[in-house]
Amino acid sequence: LANGILLFKILQVLLRDFKNKFTLLTSLFISLIFVVHPAITEAVSYIAALSEVMYTFFNLSAFYLLLKSDSARPKFKNLLLVSLFLFVGLLFKESAIIIFPIIVVYLFLYQRSALKYWLATSGVTLAFYFFVRLVLVQTPIRHPQFAPISEAPLLSRLLTIPQELFSSFRIIFFPDRLAISQHFVVTSVTLFEFFFPLVLSLLFLGLIFFLIWKLKSKLMLLGLSWFILGFLFISNVFPLDMTIAERWLYFPILGLMLILAGVIDWVLRIKPRFVIPLSVVLILEILGLGTRTMVRNT
């Protein structure tokens, strides 16, 4: 719920430049879709996945503070608070490191004048975290073992990425079959295991790129960067202990929420009369996703 509220507040800031009277409504619908989505149910309901929810909370808190510090020279207390939130997020799970390149993308798109200050803050935070981990606590970076994907060679892991991406999209857009973990490895280039998921995934990403280019939408570009960067961290380029876990989508799915917010905002700006039918569609979608989540929880 706290992460849903943070997403709501972040969207209000990111959508303010569009001066759309439906900004509040768009932010509300997107936040509700995120909160009830069955793709992230495991991260919320499965106590061992608490770290996903917690690192996301601290990442979103840091990102929101950064958004509110909209100046060429941020105040020292804001830099310190953001650094603290980023550091605590890393303590909950090292996947929190995803937010650092996302912050760079955001600053490049929206606040280039403040880039050097936030880069310095991020660099100090990362350096301090790895000093604590590797020097003080002396926790080594280990290679996962005993999972098919972690034991697979790099080429096989790369061949598996299209299937991972397609499966992630299927979980998000059509969450009919959900499982706590998926273990598979693509070992050869075949039609259904490699080319089919690759082509469909590229077509979908190509459609988003086309919309970004057509609409000149910084928000959608930020969302796409958010999702791609988030997915790369769970794509097994660096081996993990399973091929796909729904809980890993908790943070990357926020990028798709930003893209959807950009699309809805664009529709309501050019066709304000669509607000009622679009609201009905989104309410039905939220009810459907919520029902699937309740079924998943049983």
Side-chain angles (χ1 to χ4, degrees), residues 5-285:
I5 292 169
L6 281 168
L7 176 60
F8 175 79
K9 300 296 288 184
I10 286 169
L11 282 170
Q12 283 191 292
V13 176
L14 292 173
L15 290 169
R16 67 188 175 190
D17 293 337
F18 297 120
K19 296 180 175 60
N20 189 341
K21 61 182 179 180
F22 299 115
T23 294
L24 188 68
L25 190 65
T26 301
S27 303
L28 178 62
F29 277 132
I30 296 300
S31 302
L32 286 173
I33 289 172
F34 169 72
V35 167
V36 306
H37 203 294
I40 65 167
T41 305
E42 182 191 322
V44 178
S45 304
Y46 180 41
I47 192 64
L50 178 67
S51 57
E52 303 289 337
V53 179
M54 293 306 298
Y55 92 72
T56 298
F57 171 76
F58 285 100
N59 275 0
L60 290 180
S61 298
F63 191 66
Y64 179 63
L65 280 175
L66 189 151
L67 262 62
K68 295 296 286 184
S69 305
D70 189 6
S71 64
R73 189 169 184 174
K75 294 180 180 178
F76 177 75
K77 69 174 184 178
N78 291 333
L79 294 170
L80 188 62
L81 271 175
V82 169
S83 179
L84 177 63
F85 282 138
L86 293 175
F87 177 72
V88 176
L90 286 165
L91 292 181
F92 272 101
K93 190 173 183 182
E94 214 157 76
S95 298
I97 203 170
I98 302 167
I99 194 63
F100 290 90
I102 290 172
I103 286 174
V104 173
V105 173
Y106 167 76
L107 292 170
F108 186 78
L109 291 174
Y110 290 91
Q111 293 187 42
R112 293 190 193 183
S113 57
L115 185 60
K116 60 182 179 181
Y117 296 101
W118 293 113
L119 280 179
T121 301
S122 299
V124 169
T125 305
L126 281 173
F128 181 66
Y129 168 74
F130 282 107
F131 172 77
V132 170
R133 174 181 172 165
L134 299 175
V135 178
L136 296 184
V137 184
Q138 296 184 355
T139 305
I141 297 173
R142 293 188 179 93
H143 180 100
Q145 293 180 323
F146 311 122
I149 194 69
S150 67
E151 300 296 324
L154 176 60
L155 179 59
S156 294
R157 298 201 306 272
L158 294 176
L159 290 176
T160 307
I161 289 177
Q163 186 72 277
E164 290 178 79
L165 183 57
F166 178 75
S167 297
S168 297
F169 284 141
R170 184 190 58 76
I171 291 170
I172 293 168
F173 293 105
F174 194 68
D176 59 332
R177 292 172 295 162
L178 299 171
I180 201 166
S181 63
Q182 295 185 41
H183 295 278
F184 59 85
V185 180
V186 176
T187 56
S188 59
V189 178
T190 62
L191 178 61
F192 289 104
E193 288 190 329
F194 183 79
F195 285 112
F196 181 74
L198 177 65
V199 170
L200 287 183
S201 298
L202 289 179
L203 283 174
F204 178 68
L205 292 175
L207 175 62
I208 296 175
F209 272 117
F210 175 76
L211 286 173
I212 292 171
W213 172 75
K214 193 74 175 176
L215 305 179
K216 304 293 188 291
S217 174
K218 291 182 180 179
L219 174 61
M220 292 177 67
L221 182 56
L222 175 64
L224 183 61
S225 303
W226 189 307
F227 176 78
I228 290 175
L229 288 167
F231 174 77
L232 286 176
F233 274 84
I234 60 173
S235 65
N236 280 289
V237 173
F238 301 101
L240 303 171
D241 54 1
M242 59 191 73
T243 308
I244 293 177
E246 291 166 26
R247 57 187 176 274
W248 294 346
L249 293 172
Y250 190 89
F251 189 80
I253 200 176
L254 289 165
L256 295 180
M257 295 297 106
L258 297 186
I259 294 172
L260 183 58
V263 172
I264 293 173
D265 184 81
W266 169 68
V267 170
L268 294 180
R269 272 189 289 123
I270 63 170
K271 299 287 184 181
R273 66 180 183 274
F274 282 7
V275 64
I276 294 178
L278 185 58
S279 296
V280 171
V281 170
L282 290 171
I283 289 170
L284 291 174
E285 180 71 13

